[in-house]
Amino acid sequence: MLVQNAIAFLEPLSFNAVRFSVAAIILGLWLLIFEKHLLQKLDRKLILSGIMLGVWLFIGYAFQTLGLLYTTSSKAGFITGLSVVLVPLLMLGILKQRPSVNSIAGVFAATIGLYLLTMSDVSGLNIGDAFVLICAAGFALHIVFTGKFSSSYPTLLLTIVQILTVAVLSAGSAILFEDWKRAFQPEVIFSTNVITALLITSILATALAFFIQTNFQKHTTATRVALIFAMEPVFAAITAYFWADERLANSALVGCVLIVAGMIFAELPAGKLESIIRRLFVKKEADFKA
């Protein structure tokens, strides 16, 4: 809601340029004041890794914005959520890491849940859907490569480089495709909606969020991270229920349950899910024979 109000004054790419620039400045100041010793670890490999992460992240945000011009929010929400499916496939194809049975079951449940929760519109596919699919691929690749690079480089440096990359690419795209000068108009600079949205998204949803993701993804798998991100529409639905008095259809409620179940499946100990499934099949076979 905050971002929607803000982009009524400031176009999306321009908003992201300012948002990610502010986040980069905040983290950069933290680096210079409290973690200055990390600068000696800033080398060519780290910079290139951070730029790669930033490029995938920019593709995710840019094509999501572009897709929303041509498709509905519900379809965009579902297609973006397909990054849950793409992550284990990309892990297998790029990193040669085979997802566990638990992860596959979790992804399957979460995907069905996303469909039930978000797909109120089942109209035919259009160019906007293709753009949002590119967005999903961008977010999925960002998750996969964050998992690859996060354990090799200092979290703060890697986060700053990727966020700064998004800021630069967003600013360049805004200059090419938007009325970027609008960002310097008084009604935008002094708009409460814009300032509030920028502060919240820059500090919490960008600087802090991507620092946390980069820091903790070294301790878990990319598939689990994707499943956690699949919880976003669930939290959005819960927020809308309490704050906007919106009511979910029965299918959407089932979708929420399946997404949560997907999280639980992924967290089960190795072999536990197979054991449960095997017992269910053995029980059904015994009941059938009886």
Side-chain angles (χ1 to χ4, degrees):
M1 184 68 71
L2 285 171
V3 175
Q4 287 177 332
N5 291 336
I7 61 177
F9 296 88
L10 190 62
E11 294 183 81
L13 289 171
S14 300
F15 178 83
N16 280 335
V18 179
R19 166 188 171 178
F20 280 87
S21 295
V22 172
I25 291 170
I26 291 170
L27 291 177
L29 289 173
W30 184 273
L31 172 68
L32 293 176
I33 296 172
F34 300 106
E35 304 284 351
K36 197 172 182 179
H37 64 279
L38 290 176
L39 288 172
Q40 56 189 301
K41 297 184 179 181
L42 187 65
D43 57 19
R44 181 171 173 272
K45 287 185 177 180
L46 187 153
I47 292 172
L48 290 176
S49 299
I51 290 174
M52 179 184 289
L53 293 179
V55 168
W56 295 131
L57 195 57
F58 167 75
I59 288 173
Y61 279 104
F63 277 91
Q64 186 179 58
T65 301
L66 185 59
L68 282 169
L69 296 175
Y70 304 97
T71 191
T72 63
S73 297
S74 58
K75 289 170 71 178
F78 172 68
I79 297 171
T80 301
L82 288 180
S83 57
V84 174
V85 180
L86 294 175
V87 164
L89 295 177
L90 291 169
M91 285 177 60
L92 181 61
I94 297 174
L95 304 182
K96 308 303 179 186
Q97 295 178 7
R98 182 170 297 180
S100 66
V101 173
N102 291 14
S103 296
I104 294 172
V107 165
F108 182 73
T111 303
I112 297 175
L114 280 166
Y115 179 85
L116 294 174
L117 178 57
T118 61
M119 285 294 282
S120 57
D121 178 9
V122 291
S123 59
L125 297 177
N126 57 45
I127 187 65
D129 300 325
F131 288 145
V132 180
L133 185 59
I134 295 174
C135 145
F139 285 138
L141 284 163
H142 177 262
I143 291 172
V144 169
F145 281 102
T146 297
K148 179 179 180 180
F149 298 140
S150 61
S151 59
S152 302
Y153 306 108
T155 298
L156 184 58
L157 292 178
L158 193 61
T159 305
I160 291 173
V161 174
Q162 64 176 303
I163 287 177
L164 188 58
T165 300
V166 179
V168 171
L169 292 175
S170 296
S173 300
I175 292 172
L176 290 174
F177 303 112
E178 293 180 349
D179 182 14
W180 60 274
K181 295 179 182 179
R182 189 177 176 185
F184 299 96
Q185 295 176 354
E187 60 267 28
V188 173
I189 295 175
F190 298 107
S191 167
T192 304
N193 287 329
V194 174
I195 294 173
T196 303
L198 281 173
L199 286 175
I200 292 176
T201 57
S202 297
I203 298 172
L204 299 180
T206 305
L208 185 60
F210 288 111
F211 177 83
I212 290 172
Q213 180 190 348
T214 306
N215 185 57
F216 288 100
Q217 196 169 329
K218 66 184 73 172
H219 305 298
T220 188
T221 66
T223 302
R224 284 179 176 174
V225 173
L227 284 166
I228 292 170
F229 285 161
M231 290 290 292
E232 180 183 353
V234 177
F235 291 129
I238 293 171
T239 302
Y241 176 85
F242 286 106
W243 292 96
D245 201 29
E246 293 183 9
R247 294 295 180 266
L248 293 177
N250 290 334
S251 60
L253 289 172
V254 174
C256 290
V257 171
L258 284 172
I259 293 173
V260 174
M263 287 283 299
I264 294 172
F265 289 159
E267 293 301 322
L268 287 174
K272 185 71 174 178
L273 185 61
E274 298 97 311
S275 175
I276 293 172
I277 294 173
R278 196 177 297 115
R279 278 186 220 161
L280 288 173
F281 276 106
V282 169
K283 185 177 184 302
K284 284 185 178 180
E285 187 178 350
D287 291 342
F288 180 77
K289 289 180 179 178

